[in-house]
Amino acid sequence: MQSLTSVLRQRTLSTASSSLSRATYTASRTNVARHYATARKEHTPASRTINFVLGTGIVIGGLVGISYGFDSRASIHKYVFLPLMHWTMDPETAHKVGIKFLKMGLSPWDTQPDDPALEVKLWGKTFSNPVGMAAGFDKHAEAIDGLFDLGFGYVEIGSVTPEPQPGNPQPRMFRLPEDKCVINRYGFNSEGHKVVETRLRQRIKRFLYKHAREDQQETLEKLKNGTGSAESLVDHLSTNRSLRDDRVLAVNLGKNKASTPESVDDYVVGVERLGPYADVLVVNVSSPNTPGLRSLQRKGMLEDLLRQVITARDRLQSSYKPPLLVKIAPDLSDEELEDVSEAALATKVDGIIISNTTISRPSTLINKENAKEVGGLSGPVVKPLALRALRAVYKHTEGKIPLVGCGGISNGQDALEYARAGASMVQLYSSMAYEGPGIARVVKDGIVKGLNGKTWSEIVGEDVKKA
């Protein structure tokens, strides 16, 4: 047993230790309070000015950084974000991510107005510039407004097939970075007419609710009561189906893989279902990834196809009848190009897009490994093939039919070559995968510089007319 003295000694030590701890804690709190009180007293007018300047600088810097990031001309998109996507994603995944960003409004904008020299008047429409996004990028009508915001004067969605189809098995898209080319064998992967029509219709409805130029109350009542279709209501507005006064929306029509090669029914149905939502309709008979499709480019079959789809277009109930274009391949022989020209003249089609991807593999390709992949090749190596076809068709049609040049366009000089060869408009796609979202502005600035005081419309067909 402990003695009474020992117990008392332990209790005394414990009490003293507890008192010391409380005193230390109290002193610590007192010191902290004194520190902050002193610190508050040290906020002199000079320190307050410095803090204000620093805070303002951080806010302004943040705003400038955001503004820079959302400017399509910013180098960060081409030299940081794009290489990062190429390094971390396969081509198809990167394509899908790009569409998502455009769809969500997280993509950059072309912040500069278009030069008046770029203006084009075609098919009764006015384009602020002749640079378009080709079909194949926004296949399912998900990113229309995002693409217009990048500065394109013409956006073509699709190809869209009547029924949904998955396309070919993956992998089905391949980069050739040394050549800045792409090979794809998507095979008309499409969500089908119904899904695309719903997206287009909802887009028009959103626009009408916000920006109706006729009596707003009347428009709202029509939409609520269902007495007027969205597309018919657009007829009463002084704007395009693109919902942009100086931009045009095109819908590219394809056919299902299960359809017989010679059938044109898929195109007729496409005109009937999607025609009311388009400023321009495009019949795609040149994809290399759908068996038998290119056979429709033969003179007799093409002429029959064009007559049937033009008849379907003329039957549309809406007051506006969209011009109808046909898209051909760059691999056609001179004789075949002459046949296409004669069919176009005979049917009075509204335009020809030259060209789609090529099935050839030019010897100039550096990336021999991916060049072995089956599919359509796009990029700079297609340009000589497309220009050859364009010049031939422009000569055969004597400039009577508007032509749209497509294939290997990555700068203003490329676009000017197409114009001088006879193209009233140009389209690009693959170059955006290598040059980034600022490509439309790069091409437009290059065109203006190369025009040397002329306008785009003045140089169309210039080289062919001199020959």
Side-chain angles (χ1 to χ4, degrees):
M1 293 179 61
Q2 290 182 323
S3 67
L4 179 61
T5 303
S6 297
V7 172
L8 290 172
R9 186 183 295 113
Q10 288 178 2
R11 289 182 177 178
T12 301
L13 289 172
S14 176
T15 302
S17 176
S18 177
S19 299
L20 180 62
S21 296
R22 284 196 297 272
T24 301
Y25 174 72
T26 302
S28 176
R29 289 187 63 185
T30 302
N31 289 337
V32 169
R34 287 174 179 171
H35 169 76
Y36 282 111
T38 304
R40 284 197 296 270
K41 291 178 182 178
E42 290 176 356
H43 280 310
T44 63
S47 69
R48 289 193 186 97
T49 301
I50 292 172
N51 289 341
F52 174 77
V53 171
L54 288 173
T56 303
I58 291 171
V59 172
I60 292 175
L63 293 174
V64 169
I66 292 171
S67 177
Y68 171 80
F70 277 91
D71 189 331
S72 66
R73 299 169 299 168
S75 299
I76 194 172
H77 301 296
K78 179 178 178 180
Y79 297 109
V80 177
F81 296 150
L82 205 57
L84 187 63
M85 290 178 74
H86 284 202
W87 183 50
T88 59
M89 304 175 194
D90 64 83
E92 186 165 350
T93 300
H95 183 182
K96 290 176 180 178
V97 169
I99 290 291
K100 287 289 184 187
F101 272 83
L102 287 162
K103 180 180 179 179
M104 296 169 66
L106 299 176
S107 56
W109 290 48
D110 179 13
T111 59
Q112 303 302 304
D114 288 336
D115 192 291
L118 296 173
E119 186 177 274
V120 178
K121 293 185 183 296
L122 204 60
W123 307 307
K125 301 285 184 182
T126 298
F127 301 71
S128 66
N129 72 78
V131 182
M133 169 54 71
F137 183 80
D138 186 10
K139 290 175 174 289
H140 315 305
E142 298 176 274
I144 295 170
D145 292 301
L147 288 169
F148 279 128
D149 290 339
L150 290 181
F152 291 103
Y154 171 109
V155 169
E156 188 173 323
I157 62 166
S159 293
V160 190
T161 58
E163 300 301 325
Q165 61 180 29
N168 291 321
Q170 298 183 23
R172 52 192 179 181
M173 191 175 189
F174 308 88
R175 298 187 188 106
L176 286 71
E178 301 88 346
D179 305 285
K180 292 192 173 181
C181 290
V182 172
I183 290 176
N184 91 81
R185 53 171 179 262
Y186 272 121
F188 276 176
N189 57 312
S190 176
E191 294 182 359
H193 286 172
K194 187 175 181 179
V195 170
V196 170
E197 181 184 10
T198 299
R199 287 198 181 110
L200 294 173
R201 183 175 175 80
Q202 290 302 317
R203 180 172 174 267
I204 291 174
K205 277 191 172 183
R206 288 193 298 270
F207 175 84
L208 288 171
Y209 273 117
K210 292 180 180 179
H211 307 289
R213 297 181 186 177
E214 63 173 7
D215 183 85
Q216 189 175 25
Q217 189 59 41
E218 183 182 345
T219 302
L220 293 175
E221 287 300 321
K222 284 182 180 179
L223 284 169
K224 288 177 181 177
N225 299 331
T227 56
S229 64
E231 65 274 12
S232 67
L233 287 172
V234 173
D235 288 339
H236 299 290
L237 306 179
S238 56
T239 190
N240 300 322
R241 293 287 161 79
S242 66
L243 308 183
R244 312 273 178 129
D245 288 340
D246 55 0
R247 311 290 168 102
V248 171
L249 175 66
V251 178
N252 186 298
L253 305 174
K255 64 183 298 183
N256 283 115
K257 193 173 183 178
S259 301
T260 56
E262 67 278 2
S263 172
V264 301
D265 292 345
D266 286 1
Y267 296 112
V268 171
V269 171
V271 170
E272 293 169 348
R273 289 182 180 171
L274 301 179
Y277 304 92
D279 294 307
V280 174
L281 288 170
V282 180
V283 174
N284 187 350
V285 293
S286 52
S287 170
N289 301 312
T290 299
L293 186 70
R294 287 194 168 190
S295 64
L296 290 172
Q297 295 173 110
R298 296 172 187 160
K299 185 179 178 181
M301 295 181 72
L302 180 61
E303 193 168 323
D304 179 62
L305 163 65
L306 294 177
R307 289 190 190 283
Q308 290 195 49
V309 293
I310 288 172
T311 299
R313 184 274 311 273
D314 293 341
R315 286 199 305 261
L316 291 175
Q317 296 300 308
S318 56
S319 61
Y320 176 71
K321 313 295 184 187
L324 197 140
L325 282 61
V326 61
K327 187 170 186 175
I328 65 171
D331 307 307
L332 300 178
S333 66
D334 291 339
E335 184 180 353
E336 289 170 325
L337 290 171
E338 187 172 357
D339 287 344
V340 167
S341 302
E342 290 178 2
L345 288 169
T347 58
K348 297 182 180 179
V349 72
D350 298 294
I352 305 172
I353 299 178
I354 308 170
S355 66
N356 211 317
T357 57
T358 179
I359 56 175
S360 68
R361 296 294 182 267
S363 59
T364 54
L365 286 173
I366 299 170
N367 190 321
K368 304 296 183 183
E369 186 61 32
N370 279 351
K372 297 175 183 177
E373 295 290 345
V374 174
L377 172 68
S378 60
V381 296
V382 180
K383 192 175 80 169
L385 303 175
L387 281 171
R388 175 195 70 85
L390 181 71
R391 291 189 182 101
V393 173
Y394 186 83
K395 184 178 179 180
H396 289 313
T397 59
E398 300 178 340
K400 295 176 182 177
I401 297 177
L403 305 180
V404 179
C406 183
I409 296 173
S410 57
N411 54 54
Q413 187 56 42
D414 292 333
L416 288 167
E417 284 187 64
Y418 273 93
R420 293 188 175 108
S424 298
M425 298 280 294
V426 293
Q427 294 180 332
L428 57 85
Y429 172 3
S430 299
S431 56
M432 193 158 83
Y434 291 102
E435 304 300 328
I439 185 63
R441 174 47 56 187
V442 169
V443 173
K444 290 187 290 186
D445 287 346
I447 292 172
V448 173
K449 185 177 180 181
L451 284 172
N452 297 320
K454 293 184 178 181
T455 66
W456 171 270
S457 298
E458 288 174 340
I459 69 166
V460 172
E462 198 173 64
D463 289 350
V464 181
K465 292 172 185 174
K466 291 177 181 177

